[in-house]
Amino acid sequence: MKKGERRKQELLQIAYRMFLSKGYENTSVDEIIEEAGIAKGTYYYYFPSKEQTLEEVIDMMLDKEEEYARRILESDLPISQKLVGIVASFRPEAEEMTIKDALHEAANIVMHDKIKHKLMDRLIPLLAKVGRQGVDEGVFACSDIEERVKMIVILSNEVFDSGDYSEADVRVFIDTIERIMYAQPGSMAFIADLVKR
Amino acid sequence: MKKGERRKQELLQIAYRMFLSKGYENTSVDEIIEEAGIAKGTYYYYFPSKEQTLEEVIDMMLDKEEEYARRILESDLPISQKLVGIVASFRPEAEEMTIKDALHEAANIVMHDKIKHKLMDRLIPLLAKVGRQGVDEGVFACSDIEERVKMIVILSNEVFDSGDYSEADVRVFIDTIERIMYAQPGSMAFIADLVKR
Amino acid sequence: MKKGERRKQELLQIAYRMFLSKGYENTSVDEIIEEAGIAKGTYYYYFPSKEQTLEEVIDMMLDKEEEYARRILESDLPISQKLVGIVASFRPEAEEMTIKDALHEAANIVMHDKIKHKLMDRLIPLLAKVGRQGVDEGVFACSDIEERVKMIVILSNEVFDSGDYSEADVRVFIDTIERIMYAQPGSMAFIADLVKR
Amino acid sequence: MKKGERRKQELLQIAYRMFLSKGYENTSVDEIIEEAGIAKGTYYYYFPSKEQTLEEVIDMMLDKEEEYARRILESDLPISQKLVGIVASFRPEAEEMTIKDALHEAANIVMHDKIKHKLMDRLIPLLAKVGRQGVDEGVFACSDIEERVKMIVILSNEVFDSGDYSEADVRVFIDTIERIMYAQPGSMAFIADLVKR
DNA sequence: GATGAATGAGTATTCATTCAT
DNA sequence: GATGAATGAATACTCATTCAT
């Protein structure tokens, strides 16, 4: 990795952290460069615009997550656990999420939304593969796999994103997943342990 | 309705239209007052802040939609159609949506997101009522009604919001709804006609 | 004159002086507002842009000059003196010019150029009127008056603008004017006294 | 010509084209080096500053034009045609001018102005020589040759530069030239053919 | 001869909000 | 009820120039 490359990665890391904790719109270029200890010009040497920085930050995140999801895909976990694991890999901010307080949450929608769509596009194919494996193995009994896993991603996203879900929410979520995939009732019960907090 | 009240309603209407077509963040107070033909001070006489205007605009929208949903609830439509009708009432922008082009779509996430959450809170109780009616009538066969209708709202939102859904998406959506509610297979088939475009 | 009007005039005066002494491009909005003792927002309350300020500054100048030219036109000076007087009215900066040093001269071309063209458009009609009067009185003996006075304005501009003209330059200039207008040789000799420095 | 010399000439050519088409101020060093395919440092190896690049670009242009003018001077054309030919040689951008649209025209004043003055200094001596030849041959009948040709250059510049001159403008221009030089009426009529477009 | 990472001062513009009248 | 003049903090981006390698 060349000298310039490394610095760019550093900058991406810094921007990533700041966008996450304060929100993209509330993070000014001035703040980023101060944090990074570089000059304005240097920032714009590496990124043509703040917008583009966001784009690259997101791609960087997604690369990591996709990588993680891929490892799950290639593991020898049971199909159901693969499915759920991949869906779950898709909540990276989860840890950093705690940094954000209510005010900031609103500020993050823009970034959030961008991530949601980009990730969807990357994750669906992987999930579909697992889905089809499941059908082959007789774990799932349905067609339209791609569309079904999409439903699952959507639900998982929205139900767990806000953080205020009840036990009943989880119970229904699990039941729904099973029924969407035409899986054995109870086969997804293990999810309850994952989301317990 | 007093004179002042009326003017406020006018302002809300104008703000509503502008927020929808250009996005909340891209609509400046200056633009609103110009459109309304009033002075800056007058605007701030009626609203403590732009943020509050957004809040009231949204409430106004939601009132209308809830009112509409309530009428469906009290109608004598079959249960399934009530359920779907109420969920559908929750896409008011649909008509105005056409104004917005791609650029604006991004600009609207903030408002969009706010609406989504508020509407959820209002709609869920109504839907739950329908759900329970359905259970009583034997159309649905499940407990945890509230949570189940929430899932439906989420799915409906995300699947149809973007506007680029396939036939397979619709098919799976219908199947999912039926299975979430433990309804008779095919009992929701009529949805396909609603979303056909 | 209303309160706001007066302040705007003040701002125009200040901008006028600064543009002239430092050049349009070298005068920042920050400097203007500091000089005026107002806030940034106030500046932009009165002018939509710096560019527009320049435009208005120039118009203000030209108004004054045209007004002066008009008085000459309506005076009972001899035709030749009217002609020259009007042409001369068109060098207002002359006095302030002394402020500018070499560095700044370059900086002013943009403004200068803008003025040149706008003024031309205003002055030519007045000069043409004088020219035609001259023809009627037999002082001048030519057609294409409008085009001829344009030549005169051009020459006067360029010859005297830089400030480094010789006696011979003046001599030839006078002769040229006379010959352009087909005036009596020597009838414009009085110009020499005007430009003597 | 050494290797370095050649590269410098290339750079000058590139800068020349860009300054002309986009204006000096609107052409950034970054754009030049991108176009040239060299590094920032390389640019500054050849030129101490952007300003100096402009200076050299102009000198390069003027060298060409003066060379051309000199050839006319040494030709055996009739005096009047020499005079006009040399004046005309002084509009090199004419060809490239077509690239520029209105926007760019404004952007070029700085460069334009610089050229105007430099060229004047080079051209006047040549023109004066022709003028004196004309006097010797009895084609012109005046003194103060140097100043007279200066007037001609000024007029030619301003009248034809903008590009929006009428037939009457041309007619008066020709008449003026003849009268400035005390030439035979009609002896410059051929100019009309040159500027016809 | 040539590179390219780093600089940092400079600039125009936006906009929600206040308050004396 | 209504006005509109005044605020000032905030912000993204440009670009000529330097210099260690």
Side-chain angles (χ1 to χ4, degrees):
Chain A
M1 202 188 288
K2 290 211 222 76
K3 194 172 145 219
E5 242 331 84
R6 183 150 60 248
R7 171 150 284 190
K8 181 160 184 177
Q9 289 306 318
E10 268 173 49
L11 283 173
L12 279 175
Q13 288 294 343
I14 289 169
Y16 169 70
R17 256 182 287 124
M18 298 186 81
F19 287 168
L20 225 43
S21 60
K22 316 179 40 176
Y24 169 69
E25 321 230 53
N26 294 328
T27 306
S28 71
V29 173
D30 277 313
E31 287 167 324
I32 296 175
I33 64 169
E34 195 195 11
E35 182 76 19
I38 60 168
K40 200 70 138 290
T42 309
Y43 176 87
Y44 280 97
Y45 179 75
Y46 287 106
F47 304 102
S49 68
K50 191 185 155 195
E51 174 87 23
Q52 184 57 29
T53 307
L54 174 59
E55 224 67 48
E56 297 196 25
V57 158
I58 291 176
D59 288 341
M60 187 189 69
M61 282 176 47
L62 297 188
D63 284 347
K64 269 191 222 151
E65 290 161 39
E66 191 177 337
E67 158 71 15
Y68 179 68
R70 244 173 234 292
R71 271 210 299 276
I72 294 179
L73 179 64
E74 284 151 16
S75 73
D76 49 3
L77 286 169
I79 288 292
S80 302
Q81 295 196 18
K82 274 192 188 180
L83 188 78
V84 172
I86 291 177
V87 169
S89 73
F90 155 29
R91 206 148 328 97
E93 321 113 78
E95 312 131 1
E96 287 92 347
M97 238 28 162
T98 52
I99 314 175
K100 320 187 306 186
D101 52 41
L103 168 73
H104 297 145
E105 205 139 277
N108 255 341
I109 342 174
V110 176
M111 183 170 166
H112 216 256
D113 199 77
K114 220 158 198 160
I115 294 175
K116 196 160 74 183
H117 284 93
K118 282 201 169 188
L119 189 57
M120 213 76 143
D121 293 341
R122 295 206 193 194
L123 227 44
I124 302 284
L126 299 187
L127 285 167
K129 199 175 260 179
V130 177
R132 278 187 291 269
Q133 278 179 24
V135 172
D136 291 345
E137 297 186 11
V139 180
F140 305 138
C142 55
S143 55
D144 295 318
I145 301 295
E146 204 131 324
E147 287 75 18
R148 287 178 192 275
V149 297
K150 192 163 128 191
M151 300 282 158
I152 293 177
V153 172
I154 289 173
L155 283 178
S156 143
N157 247 350
E158 299 291 318
V159 172
F160 301 113
D161 222 41
S162 61
D164 64 332
Y165 48 87
S166 66
E167 258 183 60
D169 281 323
V170 175
R171 194 186 327 134
V172 169
F173 175 76
I174 292 173
D175 184 53
T176 301
I177 303 304
E178 289 171 357
R179 293 183 64 77
I180 285 180
M181 299 305 295
Y182 287 75
Q184 206 50 246
S187 61
M188 299 284 189
F190 66 95
I191 294 177
D193 299 324
L194 297 178
V195 299
K196 199 164 289 165
R197 297 179 306 165
Chain B
M1 199 187 293
K2 292 211 221 77
K3 195 173 141 224
E5 226 355 65
R6 183 148 63 246
R7 171 157 281 191
K8 180 160 185 177
Q9 288 306 317
E10 269 173 48
L11 282 173
L12 279 175
Q13 287 294 342
I14 289 168
Y16 168 69
R17 256 182 286 124
M18 298 186 81
F19 288 168
L20 225 42
S21 59
K22 316 179 39 178
Y24 170 68
E25 321 232 52
N26 293 329
T27 305
S28 69
V29 173
D30 275 305
E31 288 168 323
I32 297 174
I33 65 167
E34 194 197 12
E35 184 76 18
I38 61 167
K40 209 53 150 296
T42 311
Y43 175 87
Y44 279 95
Y45 176 76
Y46 287 108
F47 303 102
S49 70
K50 189 185 157 196
E51 176 85 23
Q52 184 56 29
T53 307
L54 173 59
E55 227 67 47
E56 298 195 25
V57 159
I58 291 176
D59 287 341
M60 186 189 70
M61 280 177 49
L62 297 189
D63 285 347
K64 270 192 220 149
E65 289 160 39
E66 192 178 338
E67 156 71 16
Y68 179 69
R70 243 173 236 292
R71 272 211 298 276
I72 293 178
L73 179 63
E74 285 151 15
S75 73
D76 48 4
L77 285 169
I79 288 292
S80 302
Q81 295 195 19
K82 276 192 188 179
L83 187 78
V84 172
I86 292 176
V87 168
S89 74
F90 156 27
R91 204 146 327 98
E93 322 112 77
E95 311 132 2
E96 286 92 346
M97 239 26 164
T98 52
I99 314 175
K100 320 185 310 182
D101 49 42
L103 169 74
H104 297 142
E105 207 137 273
N108 255 341
I109 342 174
V110 176
M111 183 170 167
H112 214 256
D113 200 77
K114 219 158 199 157
I115 294 175
K116 197 160 74 183
H117 284 93
K118 282 201 168 188
L119 190 55
M120 213 77 142
D121 293 343
R122 297 209 192 191
L123 228 42
I124 301 285
L126 299 188
L127 285 167
K129 198 174 261 179
V130 177
R132 278 188 290 270
Q133 277 179 24
V135 172
D136 291 346
E137 296 186 12
V139 180
F140 305 139
C142 54
S143 56
D144 295 318
I145 300 295
E146 203 131 325
E147 288 73 18
R148 287 178 192 275
V149 296
K150 190 163 131 191
M151 299 282 158
I152 293 176
V153 172
I154 289 173
L155 283 178
S156 147
N157 248 351
E158 300 291 318
V159 172
F160 300 113
D161 222 43
S162 60
D164 64 334
Y165 47 87
S166 66
E167 260 184 57
D169 282 324
V170 176
R171 197 185 325 137
V172 169
F173 175 77
I174 293 173
D175 185 54
T176 300
I177 303 303
E178 289 172 356
R179 292 183 66 76
I180 284 180
M181 300 305 295
Y182 288 75
Q184 211 39 255
S187 62
M188 298 285 188
F190 66 94
I191 294 177
D193 298 323
L194 298 178
V195 298
K196 200 163 286 167
R197 299 176 308 164
Chain C
M1 200 189 290
K2 290 209 222 78
K3 193 172 144 221
E5 244 328 88
R6 182 147 63 246
R7 171 150 283 190
K8 181 161 184 177
Q9 289 306 318
E10 269 172 48
L11 282 174
L12 278 175
Q13 288 294 340
I14 289 169
Y16 168 70
R17 257 182 285 124
M18 297 187 82
F19 288 168
L20 227 44
S21 60
K22 317 179 40 176
Y24 170 68
E25 321 231 51
N26 294 327
T27 305
S28 70
V29 173
D30 277 312
E31 288 168 323
I32 297 175
I33 65 168
E34 195 196 11
E35 182 77 18
I38 60 168
K40 202 69 140 286
T42 310
Y43 176 86
Y44 280 96
Y45 178 74
Y46 287 106
F47 304 102
S49 69
K50 191 185 156 195
E51 175 86 23
Q52 185 55 30
T53 308
L54 174 59
E55 224 69 46
E56 295 197 26
V57 159
I58 291 176
D59 287 341
M60 187 191 69
M61 282 177 48
L62 297 188
D63 284 347
K64 271 192 219 149
E65 291 161 38
E66 191 177 337
E67 157 71 15
Y68 180 69
R70 243 171 235 292
R71 273 210 297 277
I72 294 179
L73 179 64
E74 284 151 15
S75 72
D76 49 4
L77 285 169
I79 288 293
S80 302
Q81 295 196 16
K82 275 192 187 180
L83 187 80
V84 172
I86 291 176
V87 169
S89 73
F90 154 27
R91 203 144 332 94
E93 321 114 79
E95 311 131 2
E96 287 93 347
M97 239 24 164
T98 52
I99 314 174
K100 322 188 306 186
D101 50 43
L103 168 72
H104 296 144
E105 206 138 275
N108 255 341
I109 342 174
V110 176
M111 183 171 167
H112 215 255
D113 200 77
K114 220 159 197 158
I115 294 175
K116 196 159 74 183
H117 285 93
K118 281 202 169 186
L119 188 57
M120 212 77 143
D121 292 342
R122 296 208 192 192
L123 227 44
I124 302 284
L126 299 187
L127 285 167
K129 199 175 259 180
V130 177
R132 279 187 290 270
Q133 276 179 23
V135 171
D136 291 346
E137 296 186 12
V139 179
F140 305 140
C142 55
S143 56
D144 294 319
I145 299 296
E146 204 130 322
E147 287 75 17
R148 286 176 194 277
V149 297
K150 191 163 131 192
M151 300 281 158
I152 293 176
V153 172
I154 288 173
L155 283 178
S156 145
N157 248 350
E158 299 291 319
V159 173
F160 300 114
D161 222 43
S162 60
D164 65 333
Y165 47 88
S166 66
E167 259 184 59
D169 281 324
V170 176
R171 198 184 326 138
V172 169
F173 175 75
I174 294 173
D175 184 53
T176 301
I177 303 303
E178 289 173 356
R179 290 183 67 76
I180 285 178
M181 300 304 294
Y182 287 75
Q184 209 43 250
S187 62
M188 298 285 191
F190 66 94
I191 294 177
D193 299 325
L194 298 178
V195 298
K196 200 164 287 166
R197 297 177 307 167
Chain D
M1 201 189 290
K2 291 208 223 77
K3 194 173 142 223
E5 223 0 59
R6 183 148 61 246
R7 172 158 277 192
K8 180 159 184 177
Q9 288 306 318
E10 269 172 48
L11 282 173
L12 279 175
Q13 287 293 342
I14 289 168
Y16 169 69
R17 256 182 286 125
M18 299 187 81
F19 288 168
L20 225 43
S21 60
K22 317 179 39 179
Y24 170 69
E25 321 232 54
N26 294 329
T27 306
S28 69
V29 172
D30 276 306
E31 288 168 323
I32 296 175
I33 65 168
E34 193 197 13
E35 183 78 18
I38 61 169
K40 207 60 146 292
T42 311
Y43 176 87
Y44 279 94
Y45 176 76
Y46 286 107
F47 303 102
S49 71
K50 190 185 157 196
E51 176 84 23
Q52 183 57 28
T53 307
L54 174 59
E55 226 67 48
E56 297 195 28
V57 159
I58 291 177
D59 287 341
M60 186 189 70
M61 280 175 50
L62 298 189
D63 284 347
K64 269 192 221 150
E65 289 161 38
E66 191 176 338
E67 156 71 16
Y68 179 68
R70 241 172 237 293
R71 272 211 297 278
I72 295 179
L73 180 64
E74 283 151 16
S75 73
D76 50 4
L77 286 169
I79 288 293
S80 302
Q81 296 198 15
K82 275 191 187 179
L83 187 78
V84 172
I86 291 176
V87 168
S89 72
F90 156 27
R91 205 149 327 100
E93 321 112 78
E95 311 132 2
E96 287 91 347
M97 235 32 162
T98 52
I99 315 173
K100 320 188 308 185
D101 51 43
L103 168 73
H104 297 144
E105 207 137 274
N108 254 341
I109 343 174
V110 176
M111 181 170 168
H112 215 257
D113 201 76
K114 219 157 199 159
I115 294 175
K116 197 159 75 183
H117 285 92
K118 281 204 168 184
L119 188 57
M120 212 77 142
D121 293 342
R122 295 208 193 192
L123 227 45
I124 302 285
L126 299 187
L127 285 168
K129 198 175 260 181
V130 177
R132 277 187 291 270
Q133 276 180 23
V135 172
D136 291 346
E137 297 185 13
V139 179
F140 305 140
C142 55
S143 55
D144 295 318
I145 300 296
E146 204 130 325
E147 287 76 18
R148 286 178 193 275
V149 296
K150 192 163 129 192
M151 300 281 158
I152 292 175
V153 172
I154 288 173
L155 284 179
S156 143
N157 248 348
E158 299 290 318
V159 173
F160 300 113
D161 222 42
S162 60
D164 66 333
Y165 48 87
S166 66
E167 259 184 58
D169 282 323
V170 176
R171 197 186 324 137
V172 169
F173 175 76
I174 293 173
D175 184 53
T176 301
I177 303 303
E178 289 172 356
R179 291 183 65 77
I180 284 179
M181 299 305 295
Y182 286 77
Q184 205 50 248
S187 61
M188 299 285 188
F190 66 94
I191 294 177
D193 299 324
L194 299 177
V195 298
K196 201 165 287 169
R197 297 178 306 165

